[in-house]
């Protein structure tokens, strides 16, 4: 084999490897939503460790002290008082999900469109409802309704009680990015089945967990994943928590917001 042929074979191998990695995109998740339901609000995983596994995602922080948004490789903490700041590398989380975002397809929204219509447009284009999709919606919102749970103190209440004291905000005429995932129904309890979305405004000063929105105009990008890596805690309250039950879907719906879809 001459030098030219050898270089070609190396390039072909590199290209095949790259395509394989893109095809096998992964969501890396720390702990489960069912653990949060049971009041497991302290985790050992740091922001620095989370960011080693992805550049896009969401979650929360220890004591439920803020909603987490990971966008373009930066982790933000959105607190109930309305403030937003970059999270410190040693901040810790009881739950987070991240991926390396790559756009499989995009949808341009050029007329006022409600949340249900946006998610329906995504559903019509995804390959399968049994795969996981990262969702990024960047644009201008006529209205966007968020909530942020207040920081909790031990002994921790279950999530359905903690969310009863949540701070709600209605943003109007605001630009920013909605970050989240569309997860299969069979993952309910491990993740939030359906759409789980957080919002960060354009100047990175506010946001929260999305309850509803009306998009004036913007662009929806969708990044599919066929692999889920689930990292479970090996210490703390997680080990003794009751993480199953017939009412788990109902409790998640209540904690996430009544208009969760």
């Amino acid at each position: 084999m001459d030098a030219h042929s050898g270089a070609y074979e190396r390039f072909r191998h590199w290209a095949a490897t790259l395509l394989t990695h893109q095809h096998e995109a992964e969501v890396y998740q720390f702990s489960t939503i069912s653990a949060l339901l049971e009041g497991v609000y302290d985790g050992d995983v740091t922001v620095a460790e989370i960011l080693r596994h992805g550049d896009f995602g969401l979650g929360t922080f220890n004591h439920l002290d803020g909603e987490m948004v990971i966008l373009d490789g930066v982790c933000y903490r959105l607190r109930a008082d309305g403030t937003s700041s970059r999270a410190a590398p040693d901040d810790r989380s009881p739950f987070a999900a991240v991926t390396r975002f790559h756009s499989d397809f995009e949808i341009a929204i050029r007329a006022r469109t409600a949340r249900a219509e946006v998610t329906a447009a995504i559903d019509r284009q995804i390959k399968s409802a049994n795969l996981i999709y990262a969702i990024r919606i960047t644009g201008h919102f006529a209205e966007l309704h968020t909530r942020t749970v207040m920081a909790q103190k031990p002994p921790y209440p279950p999530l359905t009680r903690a969310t009863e004291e949540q701070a709600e905000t209605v943003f109007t005429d605001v630009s920013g990015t909605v970050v989240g995932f569309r997860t299969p129904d069979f993952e309910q309890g491990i993740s939030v089945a359906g759409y789980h979305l957080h919002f960060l405004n354009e100047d990175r000063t506010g946001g929260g967990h999305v309850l509803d929105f009306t998009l004036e105009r913007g662009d929806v990008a969708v990044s599919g994943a066929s692999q889920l890596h689930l990292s479970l805690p090996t210490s703390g309250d997680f080990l003794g928590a009751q993480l199953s039950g017939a009412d788990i879907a109902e409790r998640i719906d209540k904690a996430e917001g009544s208009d969760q879809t």
Side-chain angles (χ1 to χ4, degrees):
M1 179 183 295
D2 58 26
H4 177 75
S5 298
Y8 172 78
E9 287 300 318
R10 287 194 296 273
F11 172 80
R12 193 172 68 145
H13 176 73
W14 171 82
T17 301
L18 179 63
L19 289 172
T20 298
H21 287 170
Q22 287 178 338
H23 179 69
E24 296 176 354
E26 176 184 79
V27 172
Y28 201 106
Q29 183 175 306
F30 300 88
S31 194
T32 67
I33 283 291
S34 59
L36 285 186
L37 285 176
E38 291 300 313
V40 182
Y41 301 154
D42 290 321
D44 292 331
V45 64
T46 65
V47 166
E49 174 65 15
I50 293 168
L51 292 178
R52 277 195 280 272
H53 297 282
D55 57 15
F56 179 95
L58 50 66
T60 187
F61 295 88
N62 277 8
H63 323 302
L64 294 190
D65 188 14
E67 305 284 351
M68 178 187 293
V69 168
I70 298 171
L71 183 61
D72 299 325
V74 179
C75 183
Y76 298 89
R77 182 198 293 261
L78 313 175
R79 283 196 167 98
D81 63 3
T83 62
S84 173
S85 61
R86 285 196 179 198
D90 58 353
D91 284 344
R92 296 179 184 271
S93 170
F95 173 84
V98 292
T99 191
R100 301 196 184 280
F101 195 94
H102 64 280
S103 181
D104 288 325
F105 66 86
E106 298 186 7
I107 303 170
I109 305 294
R110 297 296 178 260
R112 182 172 289 202
T113 308
R115 169 182 168 148
E117 295 171 297
V118 173
T119 56
I122 296 170
D123 288 347
R124 286 193 295 269
Q125 291 201 35
I126 59 175
K127 183 179 180 180
S128 169
N130 294 329
L131 300 177
I132 309 169
Y133 299 90
I135 310 296
R136 185 183 67 209
I137 306 171
T138 304
H140 191 80
F141 297 83
E143 187 173 283
L144 192 143
H145 186 190
T146 68
R147 64 96 162 139
T148 305
V149 179
M150 304 284 189
Q152 302 296 305
K153 296 180 180 180
Y156 294 131
L159 189 60
T160 50
R161 280 186 25 216
T163 55
E164 290 174 356
E165 301 177 358
Q166 63 192 11
E168 296 192 13
T169 302
V170 177
F171 294 88
T172 57
D173 195 30
V174 62
S175 295
T177 304
V178 168
V179 169
F181 293 93
R182 185 201 187 282
T183 303
D185 289 346
F186 61 78
E187 282 192 40
Q188 186 76 293
I190 296 175
S191 305
V192 176
Y195 286 86
H196 183 189
L197 307 171
H198 289 184
F199 174 70
L200 185 66
N201 65 6
E202 190 173 46
D203 57 5
R204 309 298 195 251
T205 58
H209 173 94
V210 174
L211 297 175
D212 200 7
F213 65 77
T214 300
L215 180 61
E216 191 72 47
R217 62 187 178 275
D219 295 289
V220 180
V222 178
S223 173
S226 61
Q227 296 192 31
L228 173 65
H229 184 113
L230 182 60
S231 178
L232 298 176
T234 57
S235 62
D237 292 341
F238 179 88
L239 299 183
Q242 173 56 253
L243 303 182
S244 62
D247 63 342
I248 194 165
E250 179 183 347
R251 292 163 63 203
I252 289 174
D253 285 346
K254 182 178 178 181
E256 290 295 304
S258 60
D259 46 7
Q260 164 73 15
T261 57

